[in-house]
Amino acid sequence: MPYRQLSLRRRCEAILGQLDLAERFCLEGLCTKIAEQRGRPIRLHPLPREAAESGVCGLWVGTATTDYVFYEAQTSPLHQEHIVLHELGHILFGHHSLEGEEADGAAPVVLGRTNYTTRQEQEAEMLASMIRTRAGLGPRPNGSSGDPLGRLGSAMGVR
Ligand SMILES: [Zn+2]
């Protein structure tokens, strides 16, 4: 494995290690864990149509108190889950935080995927796939009880 990729994996493993995750967990449990660790709630929301139409499929908006993760809802449950994991990856790596950058009373700046560097994208993507592997998320061999939509739906408070 090329050195650069190895060090990318190591950086992800270091972050995963700090999370102290259980053997298996759902997306909801993961969000709760990360929120507890950061002392800031994480809220998941479908992307506004305008953003989705502009080609963005997920984004993270941090306000002074809360982290909002937006995901493209007009796609497969598996893809939605991956989008959320990817954005959680950016959060865990601390790729940007609007704290301190937010002018008084100004609306938080919305950053889409394209504002990240390639390295940040690689980090978020690698962490997302490692979390997926660790959690046993994703398609099950025979798809019976493992319903990504059900897990994601409950994480998002969809009833
Ligand atoms: Zn990204």
Side-chain angles (χ1 to χ4, degrees):
M1 190 181 284
Y3 172 76
R4 199 175 159 72
Q5 231 181 314
L6 184 65
S7 72
L8 171 62
R9 181 170 284 275
R10 290 240 169 94
R11 289 199 298 276
C12 291
E13 277 168 355
I15 286 177
L16 274 179
Q18 286 166 11
L19 271 177
D20 185 29
L21 294 166
E23 273 298 299
R24 293 179 79 83
F25 52 89
C26 60
L27 195 56
E28 183 177 17
L30 181 66
C31 288
T32 304
K33 191 90 162 181
I34 296 170
E36 276 171 7
Q37 196 173 68
R38 291 167 57 79
R40 295 160 57 85
I42 294 175
R43 306 258 180 260
L44 306 182
H45 292 286
L47 263 182
R49 181 182 292 273
E50 312 80 65
E53 281 172 355
S54 75
V56 173
C57 64
L59 57 91
W60 161 37
V61 178
T63 68
T65 56
T66 307
D67 289 309
Y68 295 92
V69 171
F70 294 89
Y71 62 94
E72 167 62 276
Q74 305 304 314
T75 184
S76 71
L78 196 61
H79 190 209
Q80 292 178 30
E81 192 175 83
H82 186 78
I83 293 167
V84 172
L85 288 177
H86 177 98
E87 298 306 322
L88 290 176
H90 283 306
I91 291 177
L92 289 167
F93 266 105
H95 283 159
H96 75 81
S97 165
L98 296 176
E99 282 181 276
E101 294 175 28
E102 207 175 327
D104 285 331
V109 181
V110 175
L111 299 175
R113 288 192 152 219
T114 50
N115 296 90
Y116 293 110
T117 64
T118 304
R119 175 177 155 155
Q120 288 175 327
E121 286 305 331
Q122 286 173 344
E123 287 174 342
E125 200 62 21
M126 171 73 87
L127 192 54
S129 63
M130 286 172 70
I131 288 173
R132 175 182 295 283
T133 305
R134 180 78 77 90
L137 291 172
R140 303 290 167 86
N142 255 324
S144 52
S145 61
D147 171 17
L149 182 58
R151 290 197 303 272
L152 192 62
S154 68
M156 292 170 179
V158 178
R159 278 168 275 271

